[in-house]
Amino acid sequence: MQENTGKTAAEKIFDAHRVDNPAGDMVVLGLDAVFCHEITTPVAINDLIARGKDRVFDPSRIMAVIDHVTPAKDSKTAMQGKIMRDWARRHHIEYFFDIGRNGVCHALFPEKGFVRPGYTIIMGDSHTCTHGAFGAFAAGVGTTDLEVGILNGVCAFHYPRSIKIEITGELPDGVFAKDVILHIIGQIGVNGATDCVIEFAGPVVAAMSMEARMTLCNMAVEAGATCGICYPDMTTVDYLWPFIRTEYDSRQAALEDYRRWQPDKGAAYQQVLKFDVTDLPPQLTYGYKPDKVCPVSEMQGTAVDQIYIGSCTNGRIEDLRVAARVLSGQRINDSVRGIVSPATPEIYQKALDEGIIKTFMDAGFCVANPTCGACLGMSCGVIAEGEVCASTTNRNFYGRMGKGGMVHLMSPATAAATALAGHIANSNLYRE
Amino acid sequence: MHTFGGKTLFLDRSDINTDEIIPAKYLTEISKKALQPYLLEDLNLEGFDPAKDIAGCRVIVTRANFGCGSSREHAPWALEVNGIHMVIAQSFARIFRQNMFNCGMPAIDLPEEIIDRLFNEFSGPDTEIYADLETGELTVEKQGQRTKIAFTVSEFDRALVAAGGWVEYADARYGTTGS
């Protein structure tokens, strides 16, 4: 073990937010934000009521959205929405996003400026690790942790161990953050980063947009990681500038401030891994675990029934732009059906303004509203037993998008190319 | 402190995810009890039949990375309402493990060779396992055969089980802390 002469990104955030050390290496963190959605929050709300503790620690630090099944599909999901709505009203939660303003939580909350470098964030959703893209510590938790977050503004974690993953080389045309993260998970396995924070570093990450970094961090949990973290830099500042311009005199001043959340040079990592992506071909999953990954070319020609483009992994404007470029005036194959769900109303609006929605509709896609529904087989694109979905989402578990169905995870470019071909295919943006 | 244990269900696979433990389509339920019929409905494990194999079980023994995937606490709840109050595994996904202790139920990890031994010598429908959290000792019984296995649970996790879960523990200590 190397002597610890500096701190990792996560250690810095923990040390700045520690409110207690209840025992051993457990740290109770003070939280900057608690995010809530209608699947895991209503049970917490009902439990707080039953305990006589129907309170919130700070309504201005709670952000809530209805996103998993929206608009409601039946009486049960309507009741989940109602519990959220009544609770938000009762506690004056200003940042509550109901139908018309709602979108996939991990796309919506960053877009609203709620995620900042150095923040501590929890949510009752495993893909909360997405927000580490801003240099924050953000972790998915269960309903009880969420409940305590809502009530007391704290959450307990083991003091973090970190794995640094350096991504070097140059990403080939037609190869994206999704391909990179699928490849990494394929290499380290679904248990490869359990109980660890992953720092994504290196020139490839530094050159990525915030959207691409969110795609990268989104799937950190598929390797078991608590959070994926990218270092805050000018790309982070530029993204946040509309929200922080009153806090800082200049972008440079903001960057100087955010640099304190970058790791120290002598930080100790449990592991340092290097991936050169110069020769990386587009990737996809086969089988029922996200670490079953191979090049798209190896599955070329495999029949699919449905193409799904959307989700907290790949439903952002850049993703839709790439898919539209691949589609560019062509129609999807008659043997398949396509669904696209822009992840937020703002993304939807941009896609309308840029003609992307028309491209999708002309291609024969169904354009759905922003929602998580299809990704976890709840609504808006559930597949039948024996069917196969080419999907830009993050989980290919057995039955994930519908009982007895098969999911192949891939980038939006590959998904669009697959829609055109009617079977798994590389996009024309990639040249072997 | 409460003693955990009883009839044991052996699930011989790694990476069993929470979608398999309780599929997302049942997450529209807002009571724990309603999850009872659906536990392990989508488990991808040959020879396993949830309709026959779950009844009466109090403990699960399984392999590595149990409870990976979605953060849904519906997974430990679905176990709880079926009477399963303890899981023993080679390792757990972080969120699932925390959810178990937050609900006041132990998630005990044991080294691979001991898990192997449990599967090799004790798997079957007649095995019972009991845990004593105070002494850190498991008692494994099968048809007159009996063995003891030591385990460790952290001080914090033991405190959560003793307090009956994290909500009461935290609310007594942290008020409206925040950042």
Side-chain angles (χ1 to χ4, degrees), chain B residues 9-152:
Chain B
L9 173 63
F10 286 83
L11 300 177
D12 193 2
R13 215 198 83 198
S14 287
D15 305 318
I16 291 174
N17 63 66
T18 53
D19 273 82
E20 292 176 283
I21 299 171
I22 185 78
K25 63 185 172 205
Y26 303 120
L27 305 186
T28 59
E29 300 294 347
I30 50 171
S31 85
K32 298 179 186 180
K33 195 71 205 157
L35 303 173
Q36 193 269 334
Y38 312 120
L39 177 66
L40 293 166
E41 185 184 274
D42 277 351
L43 180 64
N44 190 13
L45 179 65
E46 209 168 295
F48 174 75
D49 180 356
K52 292 195 187 116
D53 298 341
I54 293 171
C57 288
R58 298 289 172 262
V59 180
I60 284 176
V61 172
T62 185
R63 303 260 181 200
N65 200 28
F66 186 75
C68 60
S70 161
S71 64
R72 63 191 67 161
E73 200 162 308
H74 305 68
W77 296 337
L79 295 173
E80 187 181 8
V81 296
N82 277 280
I84 297 172
H85 292 163
M86 177 164 71
V87 182
I88 299 167
Q90 187 188 322
S91 64
F92 293 92
R94 180 193 66 85
I95 303 171
F96 178 84
R97 186 178 184 288
Q98 195 62 51
N99 286 344
M100 283 288 287
F101 281 105
N102 282 349
C103 293
M105 302 193 290
I108 294 171
D109 47 275
L110 294 173
E112 188 175 3
E113 59 271 21
I114 295 181
I115 293 291
D116 279 345
R117 200 182 134 211
L118 286 175
F119 274 99
N120 294 338
E121 296 177 21
F122 292 97
S123 69
D126 311 317
T127 301
E128 295 189 1
I129 301 183
Y130 295 89
D132 187 329
L133 260 60
E134 289 298 330
T135 61
E137 202 168 54
L138 293 176
T139 305
V140 188
E141 297 175 356
K142 185 188 185 182
Q143 294 163 337
Q145 204 185 340
R146 186 186 174 119
T147 192
K148 301 253 187 200
I149 294 168
F151 68 93
T152 50

Side-chain angles (χ1 to χ4, degrees), chain A residues 19-22 26-31 47-48 51 53 55 57 122 143-157, chain B residues 98 101-104 156-157 159-178:
Chain A
V19 297
D20 192 17
N21 271 107
M26 289 306 287
V27 178
V28 174
L29 296 180
L31 299 173
D47 192 62
L48 286 169
R51 289 174 192 268
K53 295 177 192 289
R55 312 189 301 265
F57 82 107
I122 62 164
T143 288
T144 303
D145 274 341
L146 175 72
E147 192 172 329
V148 170
I150 290 168
L151 182 65
N152 307 114
V154 299
C155 195
F157 293 93
Chain B
Q98 195 62 51
F101 281 105
N102 282 349
C103 293
F156 181 68
D157 289 336
L160 290 185
V161 175
W166 169 232
V167 178
E168 295 302 328
Y169 181 101
D171 199 33
R173 284 168 179 77
Y174 304 119
T176 52
T177 299

Side-chain angles (χ1 to χ4, degrees), chain A residues 14 25 137 157-163 190-198 220-221 223-227 270, chain B residues 65 91-98 109:
Chain A
F14 269 56
D25 72 339
F137 174 79
F157 293 93
H158 288 281
Y159 196 67
R161 291 173 291 139
S162 296
I163 296 173
V190 292
N191 204 4
T194 301
D195 286 324
C196 290
V197 171
I198 297 176
V221 70
T226 307
C227 182
Q270 176 162 299
Chain B
N65 200 28
S91 64
F92 293 92
R94 180 193 66 85
I95 303 171
F96 178 84
R97 186 178 184 288
Q98 195 62 51
D109 47 275

